[in-house]
Amino acid sequence: MKHKQLGSSSLSVSEVSFGCMSLGADRKADIKLLHQALDRGINLFDTADLYQQGENEVTVGSAFKGMREQVVIATKVGNQWRPDGSGWDWNPTKKYVLQAVEHSLQRLQTDYIDLYQLHGGTIEDPIEETIEAFELLKQQGKIRYYGISSIRPNVIREYVSRSSITSVMMQYSLLDRRPEEAVLPLLQQQQIGVLARGSLAQGMLAGKPAKAYLSYTSEAVQKAAHAVQAISGKTRSAAETAVRFALHHPAVTSAVMGLRTEEQLEEALQLGNTAPLKDTEVEALQAVLPAVTYEQHR
């Protein structure tokens, strides 16, 4: 598994990373899967305090207790569960971030988080206050780096210009090339690493039935899936080609894959060992459909 530097940080992360949101309710089996991933070269594990009302963090923390230095743990903050458990509300305030990190540290059984990410964000947020919280946590040594998980160009630009974010997690695939217009070039220029999620477009680029996606019709989606299959030929699987498309962009550091089973883990590990796409292959895929662009939050 190839490892790459995340932005301008000192974090070296696997080219394919483990999205923990997909883990189930069998903690023993989940911990076994996390250990297998680490043993095979995956070292970035992404969770959030939102997932399973914090139980996802508990699983990750239990898995890597005693081997903390071997892993890069990323988690997220900003979605506050209501006391009655009926749902959550957006809360990016400094006060809440400073409270939430303590709970995440406790659940993760660690005294520091490698990458603490704002789990969303709007242009109406108290952005300066949120940044102050992250910077304070860095000073205190409770987090090493921070980033945001967002697909909103206007929000991303604010954090790029006003903060020292290390990374941005965003959806990016052959069927969602919206980041290519302005966001990816900006992040590449500023040496901010991109963690790409959704590279299989809900599995439709890897064999699942086509349906309408963003502004694409189901027919257009099927056309893209056929192109991925054609480029793959006999040397790659469709999933490998789809993820390699996302990883081909120089701004992208790692593809975050949601993993739940050993079979999915094996596929993800194979992705990490697959040769990069050639420029001509990427160009052929890009030519299949016109790229969509962001219509909101520009």
Side-chain angles (χ1 to χ4, degrees):
M1 177 72 68
K2 183 179 179 182
H3 286 63
K4 296 161 70 174
Q5 183 181 357
L6 182 61
S8 58
S9 77
S10 63
L11 300 175
S12 178
V13 302
S14 48
E15 200 172 34
V16 174
S17 44
F18 198 125
C20 299
M21 183 177 72
S22 299
L23 291 174
D26 186 339
R27 182 160 290 151
K28 184 177 179 180
D30 290 340
I31 289 174
K32 179 183 176 183
L33 193 68
L34 291 166
H35 286 170
Q36 290 174 331
L38 178 61
D39 290 342
R40 301 280 295 279
I42 292 176
N43 76 331
L44 173 58
F45 298 85
D46 177 76
T47 179
D49 59 4
L50 180 68
Y51 304 157
Q52 298 167 298
Q53 294 184 297
E55 289 301 308
N56 201 270
E57 286 184 326
V58 173
T59 298
V60 173
S62 299
F64 299 125
K65 185 178 181 180
M67 55 182 76
R68 184 66 182 87
E69 301 301 319
Q70 299 177 45
V71 295
V72 175
I73 293 179
T75 191
K76 309 182 196 75
V77 65
N79 294 294
Q80 183 176 16
W81 278 99
R82 298 177 193 133
D84 63 2
S86 63
W88 59 87
D89 300 301
W90 180 239
N91 189 350
T93 62
K94 181 177 181 179
K95 180 181 179 181
Y96 177 67
V97 171
L98 296 180
Q99 289 174 348
V101 74
E102 300 297 338
H103 298 300
S104 285
L105 288 168
Q106 185 177 27
R107 287 189 291 262
L108 290 164
Q109 301 185 59
T110 183
D111 55 6
Y112 70 94
I113 293 164
D114 296 292
L115 180 65
Y116 204 36
Q117 302 159 101
L118 185 67
H119 202 173
T122 74
I123 202 68
E124 290 80 27
D125 289 347
I127 293 175
E128 205 62 45
E129 186 180 318
T130 308
I131 294 169
E132 285 177 9
F134 283 124
E135 290 291 344
L136 178 59
L137 291 175
K138 277 184 69 174
Q139 293 170 18
Q140 294 173 339
K142 294 178 180 178
I143 67 173
R144 295 178 67 190
Y145 301 98
Y146 65 95
I148 60 172
S149 176
S150 177
I151 61 171
R152 300 183 174 192
N154 57 358
V155 173
I156 291 169
R157 283 195 300 271
E158 288 299 311
Y159 277 89
V160 169
S161 64
R162 297 161 65 176
S163 77
S164 58
I165 56 170
T166 287
S167 64
V168 176
M169 180 178 288
M170 65 176 65
Q171 184 170 293
Y172 178 51
S173 72
L174 179 61
L175 286 173
D176 188 356
R177 293 170 54 200
R178 293 176 296 177
E180 290 178 358
E181 183 187 6
V183 176
L184 292 182
L186 172 65
L187 297 175
Q188 182 185 356
Q189 180 186 26
Q190 298 297 320
Q191 291 186 283
I192 296 169
V194 172
L195 302 175
R197 60 177 178 80
S199 302
L200 299 180
Q202 299 177 1
M204 290 185 290
L205 293 174
K208 286 193 176 180
K211 62 181 179 180
Y213 189 78
L214 298 178
S215 60
Y216 294 123
T217 63
S218 59
E219 290 78 15
V221 169
Q222 192 166 33
K223 184 178 179 182
H226 286 161
V228 168
Q229 192 66 56
I231 290 288
S232 301
K234 297 181 179 179
T235 58
R236 296 189 194 92
S237 69
E240 288 165 1
T241 297
V243 174
R244 277 292 157 193
F245 175 86
L247 286 170
H248 186 270
H249 198 288
V252 177
T253 305
S254 183
V256 183
M257 309 295 294
L259 305 177
R260 182 192 292 267
T261 67
E262 290 189 13
E263 181 183 11
Q264 290 172 341
L265 175 60
E266 286 299 326
E267 291 174 352
L269 291 166
Q270 185 58 41
L271 292 171
N273 296 322
T274 303
L277 295 182
K278 299 174 183 176
D279 289 345
T280 52
E281 292 175 316
V282 171
E283 290 164 5
L285 289 171
Q286 289 174 328
V288 173
L289 296 175
V292 291
T293 56
Y294 288 112
E295 297 177 0
Q296 298 176 313
H297 315 294
R298 296 182 62 86

